[in-house]
Amino acid sequence: MKRKILVWLLPLIIVWLQRFIGLTSRFRIFKNEQYEEIFKNKKPYIYSIWHTNVLYSPYLHRNKNVAVLISESKDGDFINQVVHRFGNSSIRGSSSKGGSKALKAMIQHLKKGLPAAFTPDGPRGPALIVQPGIIAAAQVTQVPIVPFHYECSRQWILEKAWDKHRVPKPFTTFVVSYGEPIYVPRELNEVEFENMRLKVEEAMLKNRDKTIQEAERIRTGDSK
């Protein structure tokens, strides 16, 4: 009973705190024409989000009906509640538990023409290393992968956490960046598949570096 109350109450507190911080914050958003065209035409896409960005990604994509792949862990229970409270959906599973079933469910969701989101280095890492599930989903469905990342000019970085998680502070500036969509060919051999995995990983790291640099520029007041 105590756990049920906690699973209900803690996400509620997190959601209200996120809304408060969102109301006190500014936003600097980097988009690109290809992603904007996909979004405007209501075509499906796959957000690829490092685990370090798990906390505020549901808030930044609220009410988009994005299906988020969430692990079946106890921590996943809390994330699941937050995702739903921000108007998105979830599919439970991970590479370590329920992965095959969850991946199939994500593929079915994408085939319905709906967006999805993966944390390709989650739920346990290693950090900033893309696992193959997201590549397989994009390959089967022919839906593009869109790298996503945010950093804040004022934020706590949880240095002891394996993913160095970002926690925005009030009165911050969010730097939000959407990378160029990546299409995965339907037919790939083993070497080509690995090359695509590396391509997505590199694109995500570049997108991350871009947001970090811009957040630092805003933090230091650099006008360049």
Side-chain angles (χ1 to χ4, degrees):
M1 180 61 70
K2 184 185 292 186
R3 173 165 173 76
K4 286 182 178 180
I5 293 173
L6 195 60
V7 169
W8 173 83
L9 181 60
L10 186 57
L12 184 63
I13 294 170
I14 291 171
V15 166
W16 281 107
L17 283 173
Q18 289 190 7
R19 291 188 186 279
F20 167 74
I21 289 176
L23 287 171
T24 69
S25 300
R26 296 181 178 182
F27 295 85
R28 171 85 165 90
I29 301 176
F30 292 104
K31 297 182 180 180
N32 63 75
E33 291 183 3
Q34 291 185 47
Y35 166 67
E36 286 293 291
E37 192 70 16
I38 292 169
F39 185 78
K40 183 178 69 175
N41 292 322
K42 298 182 179 180
K43 293 182 179 181
Y45 49 84
I46 303 171
Y47 284 137
S48 190
I49 305 168
W50 293 126
H51 201 274
T52 188
N53 275 174
V54 163
L55 183 60
Y56 267 77
S57 290
Y59 172 81
L60 293 170
H61 298 108
R62 53 197 181 277
N63 301 319
K64 287 188 177 180
N65 197 26
V66 176
V68 183
L69 185 61
I70 300 174
S71 75
E72 294 181 322
S73 65
K74 291 181 180 179
D75 288 345
D77 292 340
F78 296 104
I79 298 168
N80 186 57
Q81 289 292 320
V82 173
V83 165
H84 282 263
R85 289 179 184 275
F86 279 123
N88 292 301
S89 60
S90 62
I91 292 170
R92 304 299 298 274
S94 69
S95 58
S96 59
K97 186 178 180 182
S100 177
K101 181 180 177 181
L103 182 58
K104 288 178 181 178
M106 289 292 275
I107 288 171
Q108 290 303 312
H109 178 85
L110 288 163
K111 284 183 174 180
K112 292 176 183 177
L114 299 170
F118 281 73
T119 50
D121 60 342
R124 299 177 181 176
L128 309 182
I129 300 294
V130 169
Q131 300 301 318
I134 188 172
I135 310 300
Q139 179 184 16
V140 171
T141 61
Q142 292 298 283
V143 172
I145 296 170
V146 178
F148 169 82
H149 195 79
Y150 73 80
E151 295 282 335
C152 293
S153 58
R154 288 168 38 83
Q155 62 186 3
W156 292 284
I157 298 177
L158 306 185
E159 295 291 348
K160 292 184 178 180
W162 68 266
D163 61 351
K164 301 292 189 290
H165 210 89
R166 270 55 177 165
V167 181
K169 296 180 179 181
F171 306 101
T172 189
T173 296
F174 280 82
V175 179
V176 178
S177 182
Y178 296 88
E180 184 174 317
I182 302 168
Y183 290 85
V184 178
R186 191 181 296 276
E187 301 295 330
L188 293 173
N189 60 35
E190 188 174 338
V191 173
E192 291 168 338
F193 188 95
E194 173 63 9
N195 287 338
M196 284 303 306
R197 189 195 68 78
L198 292 172
K199 180 179 179 179
V200 171
E201 185 173 288
E202 182 182 8
M204 291 186 68
L205 290 171
K206 285 183 177 179
N207 196 48
R208 173 179 176 267
D209 291 345
K210 177 181 179 178
T211 60
I212 289 173
Q213 290 169 9
E214 179 65 12
E216 178 65 14
R217 185 193 68 78
I218 293 170
R219 188 186 70 80
T220 59
D222 188 348
S223 60
K224 294 181 181 180

